Amino acid sequence: SAVISQKPSRDICQRGTSLTIQCQVDSQVTMMFWYRQQPGQSLTLIATANQGSEATYESGFVIDKFPISRPNLTFSTLTVSNMSPEDSSIYLCSVGQHYEQYFGPGTRLTVT
Amino acid sequence: RKEVEQDPGPFNVPEGATVAFNCTYSNSASQSFFWYRQDCRKEPKLLMSVYSSGNEDGRFTAQLNRASQYISLLIRDSKLSDSATYLCVVNDGSSYKLIFGSGTRLLVRP
């Protein structure tokens, strides 16, 4: 399976600021996804990152809050904008190979 | 009703025990089924895909019952290193989107 890295691994941010999370894959992949895992919860899909077009967002998630870029088949970014303490979560990217998905190590975000 | 339902546990078992986890899903159109393992403060890792005929990987056996919309995972000869949260995952039937259960926590004690 692909090797996936994320930066930063963790951050503590002040409310009202924005953070951009990077996801890098060591091979070209068609499908990339962004998930959120809130404390004690399971994973929730934020959006599918589409190469060359706008991301596809799930219900409850909007582009203004979570803008996503996918400039090529190995890289994507997720920005968490105008953060509030409710945005404190782990953010994970994943890549799809057939119907299976493989996850990056995650970014642990704390908003104070 | 949740799309994917699991008993949260925890299941507390001694080393060497056999333990089984169950999961039900609500979308009859789901086509792909998986078990992921998630260790504390780590990302989920694919444990095994689940096929209609059932499949086995060493000490792990997964079963799928489409008629009952039910998936199971059996772990034989439990090891301390099996302690983790096990996530039941299905696709939404119409796309590559995956739906995650809330997970079942397993604790294997010496």
Side-chain angles (χ1 to χ4, degrees), chain A residues 51-66:
Chain A
Q51 195 265 330
S53 64
E54 193 171 284
T56 304
Y57 289 85
E58 297 300 308
S59 176
F61 298 96
V62 295
I63 188 171
D64 290 346
K65 176 67 176 177
F66 297 102

Side-chain angles (χ1 to χ4, degrees), chain A residues 34 36 44-48 54-69 77-82 87 91:
Chain A
W34 286 98
R36 180 174 73 182
T44 301
L45 180 64
I46 297 172
T48 302
E54 193 171 284
T56 304
Y57 289 85
E58 297 300 308
S59 176
F61 298 96
V62 295
I63 188 171
D64 290 346
K65 176 67 176 177
F66 297 102
I68 288 170
S69 78
T77 67
L78 168 74
T79 298
V80 186
S81 303
N82 189 25
D87 294 320
Y91 292 86

